[in-house]
Amino acid sequence: MALTKQIMGSSLLERSMFVPSSSSPSSFFNSTRFLVPLENKRVVRMKRAAKFPVAAISEDLMKGSSSSPSSSSSSSSVSTEKPVKFKVRAVITVRNKIKEDFKETIVKHIDALTDRIGRNVVLELVSTEIDPKTKSAKKSNEAVLKDWSKKSNLKAERVNYTAEFIVDSSFGEPGAITVTNKHQKEFFLESITIEGFASGPVHFPCNSWVQSRKDLPGKRIFFSNKPYLPGDTPAGLRLLREKELRNLRGDGKGVRNLSDRIYDYDIYNDLGNPDKGIELARPNLGGSDMYPYPRRCRTGREPSDTDMYAESRVEKPLPMYVPRDERFEESKQNTFTVKRLKAVLHNLIPGLKASLSSSNQDFNEFSDVDGLYSEGLLIKLGWGLQDDVLKKIPFVSKIQESSQGLLKYDTPKIISKDKFAWLRDDEFARQAIAGVNPVNIERLQVFPPVSKLDPEIYGPQESALKEENILNQLNGMTVQEAINENKLFMIDYHDIYLPFLEGINALDGRKSYATRTIFFLTPRSTLKPVAIELSLPHAGPNSRSKRVVTPPVDATTNWMWQLAKAHVCSNDAGVHQLVNHWLRTHANLEPFILAAHRQLSAMHPIFKLLDPHMRYTLEINTLARQSLIHADGIIENCFTPGRYAMEISSAAYKNFWRFDMDSLPADLIRRGMAVADPTQPHGLKLILEDYPYAADGILIWSAIEDWVRTYVNHYYPHSSLICNDKELQSWYSESINVGHADLRHENWWPTLNNSEDLVSILSTLIWNASAQHAALNFGQYPYGGYVPNRPPLMRRLIPEEGDPEYASFIADPQKYFLNALPSLLQATKFMAVVDTLSTHSPDEEYLGERQQPSIWSGDAEIVEAFYDFSAKVQQIEKVIDGRNLDRTLRNRCGAGVLPYELLAPSSEPGVTCRGVPNSVST
């Protein structure tokens, strides 16, 4: 607590540089017991400094407040004396935009001029107390933000302004501040600190765009950092608390403007573009039994011309609506802009190459793949087209100057240590537990596995796998013995793919199976694949719709086996992207975020807890609808399911996803990868001890859960407080009944009746937004950037004797294998996208970090608890680093083996294959 008291403002002081502004200093201090600042001040640097600077605080005011009588004695003095007017000062921190276009620069200069004649920024303090005369909250005078025009040309990232208020000694504690922007241009308000009250500085963490009054009439409301449950809201703030939530909900009508701050729901009815042709029409997701789906943020755009139920599209580079404060900040936006430009370069050039010669459309040699990293695409263009191409690409000369090697792909980590590791069975198996998608493997409990699909539609439920297929791979065990000793594991994509295979395989350049893979746990605690089942749609009683491929015994079966593994990886890539990554960590969180803004006040302690874990998610999800998951977008072009991609995602939501199974412990137990064991440090015993994702994940899960439990118990010492918290209950109810309306009647939704319910719900949300997303996202380029290791789509089935393609397969199996992978254009487009998604931006905020860490909450005990959580996260990172050096852990340490760092909390900017950001932002 001592540390927190220092941070909050009681012992950071060195000396005073303020003097009373009254002509009679002694009478002023005797009657008011307040200090008034002068313009000159020293800035105190906080210990445990914020990653982002906070508003400057005058140390002499802080000293004055700590040495002045307590607020209670002050109020008792005031009650017997006539209230006296005095000044307090606000320090307002505004974050400048670093790069402005011409129009923005002109408007900024106009604002600087008109600020001098009254078109300025106006603030007003609101007390926590009610004025007995007016029966409304006490307010200060309106104060003008000073020196805007004088400081308008400052190039600093942050600029501090001041304003002075007149209040009287009965004003009480300021709890809110209103801001009116009379300028033409919006500005980013980072924070406000009020100096001069006896209780010490009052902090208002704002972090919000304040729109011009012409765009959003009315006053913006900001609350101090002091948290209040709804029932504890001071009388002076109750109406403002309700008003601000009404403003954020909107009325559900009309087209949203880019300047709006309205959070509302809609179905996914903007993925298709029927106005451009029937081939681009897509079913609406959400609002139907056939295609259930979570809700997304409403934009209110007009329907398309040809389908009144489909929302019209907004195509890049035009922006789609998200509430203004959800948009990327400038450094994040710049990262995405450079990456998008890189994608243009990488895709335009292969497109030209493909048009020059049809033989260049495929990879024919492994050296063709290697050339993407060693030579670069521009070097290979030739024919005098290079300069012409560059001239047609905006800003390319600037990028060439600033970043050598931009036109080459970085070498993915998977081939950086051992170029041929991906070919080995042990590496194929290792990636199932330590790769980019380690969440589908399950302990095999029944053999042969059985489908749950309707046999009348999809054929026999029995698997083609037989004991004789795998018996010689089990080190002398029978199958049942191996099951009993937890030695057999499976990745099963049969039921999720089979209903869509007929449509997928009818698409041009798409061929897929529904796969099952069986793994055996070796005495060295590594896995090896022992059989792959490949299923096609059932075509009748005598159809050969299922086949089993086993490890090779000669040259021909070696290439068969490599093709089978590639089909497994293609299945895996689709489920990873459409279900585990997009659905579970992006789409399913969006309703909880929308409901939080609509139902939880910014002063609600649970909103403050969730706030860093909601950053940027609505924006990245909106960009995904615009550029990735829509008709003919990157996902359809680069992944096996093609136009059926989002239908598979909807089917997974309907048949497989459950919120109560989304916590790490519940998920591991459901998959048979762990059992509950109260004697273990974290209450779980892993079935497969060297399971890097689970072993590291349980450390982070436990740290999150402990932090959340401390937080929840602090504010809710009794369960009745949770049941009676109308904002909290409305948030959870709306998240389910509106945001997940298609599944609202499922009986697996957790209840919210006590503190343990709340801890579980919040821990699950924070886990999925941070660590779960990180584990699934930031390894995409390091593992998938080398397409043969993890092909996102396949274009050929595995030929059998008698098939027309069998002869060409036998004649040149390497060429057949490479031609079965994505084309050059598909591969390079995919690589550019996953390179972008795998990138940490410079403003990334990692688990255990917060903007303005010392003032995000006015509750000193909670701020101290957060620092404890941060220290625990740093300790976890050291444990993970140690594990990656432990040679007994062969799934993360060994010759050519990549360390498992996807759950290591911190990271530098760029593609690092590590780092756990607080939120889903890529």
Side-chain angles (χ1 to χ4, degrees):
M1 292 298 295
L3 169 66
T4 306
K5 288 177 181 177
Q6 289 181 345
I7 293 170
M8 306 303 281
S10 63
S11 59
L12 290 173
L13 315 172
E14 296 175 8
R15 63 188 182 89
S16 173
M17 295 184 65
F18 281 99
V19 297
S21 62
S22 168
S23 58
S24 176
S26 60
S27 63
F28 179 84
F29 283 117
N30 288 337
S31 61
T32 65
R33 305 188 190 278
F34 291 90
L35 296 174
V36 181
L38 292 178
E39 286 302 317
N40 296 322
K41 64 182 179 68
R42 280 180 53 190
V43 177
V44 173
R45 295 195 179 277
M46 296 183 175
K47 291 188 177 180
R48 298 200 185 185
K51 184 175 180 181
F52 301 94
V54 300
I57 301 173
S58 302
E59 64 174 76
D60 41 2
L61 267 178
M62 296 166 72
K63 182 173 182 179
S65 64
S66 65
S67 61
S68 63
S70 67
S71 57
S72 59
S73 63
S74 175
S75 61
S76 64
S77 171
V78 168
S79 65
T80 60
E81 299 176 16
K82 184 178 179 180
V84 177
K85 299 285 186 182
F86 66 97
K87 290 182 181 180
V88 295
R89 185 171 69 166
V91 179
I92 300 101
T93 302
V94 172
R95 189 187 305 164
N96 276 340
K97 192 171 182 182
I98 303 303
K99 295 180 181 179
E100 295 177 329
D101 59 30
F102 180 73
K103 181 180 178 182
E104 289 173 326
T105 302
I106 294 297
V107 173
K108 183 176 77 171
H109 287 308
I110 293 173
D111 283 341
L113 292 172
T114 58
D115 187 84
R116 300 176 182 176
I117 58 173
R119 288 177 55 177
N120 41 32
V121 177
V122 179
L123 301 90
E124 185 178 41
L125 282 179
V126 181
S127 173
T128 57
E129 299 178 6
I130 293 290
D131 188 324
K133 294 180 181 179
T134 64
K135 307 299 182 185
S136 59
K138 297 176 182 178
K139 297 179 182 178
S140 71
N141 65 308
E142 290 190 340
V144 173
L145 190 148
K146 295 180 179 180
D147 296 330
W148 186 280
S149 59
K150 187 183 298 184
K151 297 181 178 181
S152 63
N153 290 322
L154 289 178
K155 300 301 183 184
E157 184 179 1
R158 289 168 176 81
V159 179
N160 288 333
Y161 300 90
T162 61
E164 288 186 348
F165 301 93
I166 304 294
V167 296
D168 65 41
S169 51
S170 65
F171 183 80
E173 181 184 352
I177 191 165
T178 63
V179 181
T180 304
N181 179 11
K182 298 180 182 179
H183 293 163
Q184 295 292 305
K185 186 170 177 277
E186 66 178 4
F187 65 89
F188 189 84
L189 180 58
E190 190 168 88
S191 64
I192 301 173
T193 299
I194 307 299
E195 304 170 324
F197 285 94
S199 56
V202 182
H203 299 288
F204 294 79
C206 304
N207 297 306
S208 179
W209 289 95
V210 180
Q211 300 298 320
S212 169
R213 188 170 59 177
K214 68 180 177 60
D215 294 321
L216 285 179
K219 300 177 180 180
R220 281 294 309 278
I221 303 166
F222 296 99
F223 297 105
S224 77
N225 63 350
K226 191 169 183 178
Y228 296 102
L229 294 176
D232 298 331
T233 310
L237 303 181
R238 288 173 190 162
L239 292 179
L240 284 181
R241 183 171 186 149
E242 294 170 4
K243 180 180 179 181
E244 177 68 355
L245 285 174
R246 286 197 302 272
N247 291 341
L248 293 171
R249 291 181 198 127
D251 59 7
K253 300 176 182 177
V255 179
R256 296 273 65 85
N257 298 313
L258 294 177
S259 58
D260 287 346
R261 298 172 55 247
I262 294 175
Y263 298 77
D264 205 353
Y265 302 92
D266 208 342
I267 62 173
Y268 281 71
N269 58 355
D270 62 345
L271 300 181
N273 196 348
D275 291 348
K276 286 192 173 182
I278 190 65
E279 69 279 1
L280 294 180
R282 296 292 182 271
N284 293 337
L285 304 186
S288 70
D289 292 335
M290 182 173 290
Y291 299 112
Y293 218 59
R295 300 301 187 259
R296 48 93 172 176
C297 186
R298 179 184 178 276
T299 68
R301 296 194 304 270
E302 296 295 325
S304 65
D305 294 335
T306 55
D307 184 351
M308 64 178 292
Y309 299 107
E311 191 171 84
S312 55
R313 292 275 306 165
V314 173
E315 303 295 353
K316 334 174 267 193
L318 296 176
M320 288 171 64
Y321 171 76
V322 290
R324 183 63 184 97
D325 290 340
E326 306 301 320
R327 298 283 295 275
F328 288 161
E329 293 178 18
E330 195 169 3
S331 60
K332 178 79 169 179
Q333 188 65 51
N334 289 342
T335 298
F336 264 70
T337 299
V338 170
K339 290 289 186 177
R340 279 200 299 268
L341 193 51
K342 188 173 180 178
V344 169
L345 293 168
H346 284 163
N347 292 322
L348 174 62
I349 295 162
L352 288 173
K353 287 167 62 71
S355 67
L356 293 171
S357 169
S358 60
S359 64
N360 279 333
Q361 291 182 8
D362 293 332
F363 295 113
N364 292 312
E365 306 277 349
F366 280 105
S367 59
D368 294 341
V369 184
D370 297 339
L372 298 175
Y373 320 110
S374 60
E375 298 177 47
L377 294 168
L378 276 179
I379 295 172
K380 297 175 70 174
L381 184 59
W383 292 290
L385 292 177
Q386 182 167 326
D387 291 339
D388 293 337
V389 170
L390 292 177
K391 288 176 184 177
K392 295 176 183 177
I393 303 174
F395 313 121
V396 76
S397 59
K398 186 181 297 183
I399 288 179
Q400 281 186 308
E401 293 169 7
S402 63
S403 179
Q404 298 300 315
L406 178 66
L407 308 182
K408 294 182 188 177
Y409 287 94
D410 296 326
T411 301
K413 281 199 170 186
I414 185 59
I415 57 170
S416 64
K417 284 190 168 188
D418 183 346
K419 187 175 179 180
F420 303 105
W422 67 276
L423 284 165
R424 297 198 312 266
D425 284 358
D426 64 300
E427 176 62 20
F428 170 77
R430 190 192 71 84
Q431 290 185 33
I433 54 175
V436 71
N437 189 39
V439 298
N440 280 104
I441 190 166
E442 58 187 286
R443 181 165 56 88
L444 186 64
Q445 300 181 56
V446 175
F447 187 88
V450 179
S451 170
K452 295 179 181 178
L453 296 175
D454 185 347
E456 295 294 323
I457 301 174
Y458 301 107
Q461 295 177 320
E462 293 75 19
S463 167
L465 286 161
K466 306 297 182 187
E467 183 158 355
E468 56 263 28
N469 297 137
I470 64 174
L471 197 59
N472 65 343
Q473 300 283 333
L474 304 185
N475 291 2
M477 292 182 175
T478 66
V479 169
Q480 193 56 52
E481 287 171 343
I483 289 175
N484 293 342
E485 294 190 26
N486 299 328
K487 298 290 187 182
L488 287 176
F489 299 85
M490 173 177 65
I491 293 181
D492 187 354
Y493 294 136
H494 179 276
D495 285 7
I496 195 166
Y497 269 95
L498 194 65
F500 298 93
L501 278 188
E502 192 168 343
I504 290 170
N505 288 340
L507 298 173
D508 185 34
R510 294 289 200 285
K511 288 294 180 281
S512 181
Y513 299 98
T515 66
R516 287 191 182 105
T517 309
I518 307 298
F519 300 91
F520 177 71
L521 181 64
T522 72
R524 296 171 65 82
S525 297
T526 58
L527 295 174
K528 68 175 182 179
V530 294
I532 295 172
E533 181 183 23
L534 306 169
S535 297
L536 291 170
H538 184 64
N542 298 317
S543 70
R544 297 172 58 195
S545 59
K546 300 177 189 290
R547 63 190 288 195
V548 174
V549 182
T550 54
V553 295
D554 55 29
T556 300
T557 54
N558 176 67
W559 283 104
M560 294 274 192
W561 181 243
Q562 294 300 337
L563 281 165
K565 289 194 297 182
H567 274 282
V568 171
C569 290
S570 174
N571 270 195
D572 189 75
V575 171
H576 163 259
Q577 199 67 264
L578 299 169
V579 181
N580 298 329
H581 179 208
W582 166 255
L583 174 64
R584 288 178 60 185
T585 68
H586 282 259
N588 281 342
L589 287 180
E590 186 158 348
F592 290 96
I593 294 172
L594 292 170
H597 286 282
R598 290 166 53 85
Q599 301 297 340
L600 296 176
S601 167
M603 66 174 80
H604 197 292
I606 299 305
F607 184 90
K608 290 181 180 294
L609 174 69
L610 290 175
D611 187 36
H613 306 290
M614 303 188 290
R615 187 184 187 214
Y616 292 153
T617 302
L618 297 186
E619 167 83 336
I620 195 65
N621 285 4
T622 298
L623 289 174
R625 297 203 321 274
Q626 186 177 40
S627 303
L628 295 178
I629 64 173
H630 67 294
D632 201 33
I634 298 296
I635 298 299
E636 288 194 3
N637 276 301
C638 296
F639 287 83
T640 292
R643 63 175 294 137
Y644 302 102
M646 291 306 291
E647 292 183 43
I648 287 180
S649 188
S650 172
Y653 179 67
K654 179 179 183 179
N655 299 318
F656 300 105
W657 180 75
R658 290 174 49 155
F659 182 77
D660 64 326
M661 294 288 111
D662 249 11
S663 73
L664 178 62
D667 177 55
L668 291 172
I669 292 171
R670 175 185 63 85
R671 291 190 282 120
M673 300 302 291
V675 293
D677 185 346
T679 67
Q680 296 294 309
H682 305 288
L684 278 185
K685 178 177 175 56
L686 295 180
I687 298 299
L688 181 59
E689 291 186 10
D690 187 12
Y691 182 1
Y693 158 78
D696 294 356
I698 204 65
L699 296 178
I700 292 182
W701 166 267
S702 296
I704 291 171
E705 188 180 45
D706 289 347
W707 156 236
V708 171
R709 181 172 286 109
T710 298
Y711 195 96
V712 166
N713 289 340
H714 180 77
Y715 291 105
Y716 298 100
H718 308 293
S719 295
S720 60
L721 293 172
I722 290 175
C723 295
N724 294 328
D725 186 335
K726 62 179 182 179
E727 286 186 8
L728 182 71
Q729 293 293 336
S730 295
W731 162 70
Y732 188 55
S733 175
E734 184 174 285
S735 298
I736 297 170
N737 293 307
V738 181
H740 286 278
D742 301 333
L743 300 182
R744 66 187 182 277
H745 297 306
E746 298 293 338
N747 60 12
W748 42 253
W749 284 104
T751 58
L752 180 51
N753 296 324
N754 55 52
S755 59
E756 280 307 301
D757 290 345
L758 183 56
V759 168
S760 176
I761 291 165
L762 294 173
S763 298
T764 299
L765 292 173
I766 293 171
W767 161 259
N768 279 290
S770 58
Q772 184 66 86
H773 177 260
L776 294 167
N777 183 72
F778 293 103
Q780 290 194 79
Y781 186 79
Y783 281 97
Y786 187 70
V787 170
N789 175 61
R790 190 174 171 77
L793 66 82
M794 294 293 285
R795 296 185 293 155
R796 291 184 175 186
L797 298 176
I798 304 174
E800 297 185 78
E801 285 192 61
D803 291 343
E805 292 183 314
Y806 190 77
S808 60
F809 165 70
I810 293 294
D812 193 343
Q814 175 179 288
K815 183 177 180 180
Y816 188 95
F817 177 86
L818 288 168
N819 289 175
L821 302 181
S823 68
L824 175 63
L825 184 58
Q826 289 169 327
T828 51
K829 185 184 296 185
F830 167 77
M831 290 162 62
V833 171
V834 294
D835 179 45
T836 302
L837 295 178
S838 303
T839 299
H840 290 293
S841 64
D843 73 334
E844 202 87 88
E845 188 181 287
Y846 296 95
L847 195 66
E849 298 177 350
R850 289 193 70 124
Q851 295 187 42
Q852 303 153 329
S854 59
I855 64 166
W856 65 273
S857 173
D859 192 322
E861 189 174 334
I862 286 300
V863 171
E864 187 73 15
F866 178 73
Y867 280 126
D868 291 341
F869 168 62
S870 181
K872 189 177 292 186
V873 170
Q874 293 173 33
Q875 185 60 39
I876 289 171
E877 181 156 333
K878 294 178 181 178
V879 173
I880 291 173
D881 290 343
R883 288 173 173 176
N884 286 325
L885 298 175
D886 185 347
R887 294 192 177 184
T888 66
L889 301 176
R890 294 181 177 87
N891 292 315
R892 62 196 306 161
C893 182
V897 175
L898 291 187
Y900 187 74
E901 298 180 304
L902 286 168
L903 288 175
S906 70
S907 175
E908 297 297 319
V911 180
T912 63
C913 202
R914 61 176 292 139
V916 180
N918 276 325
S919 62
V920 176
S921 58
T922 51

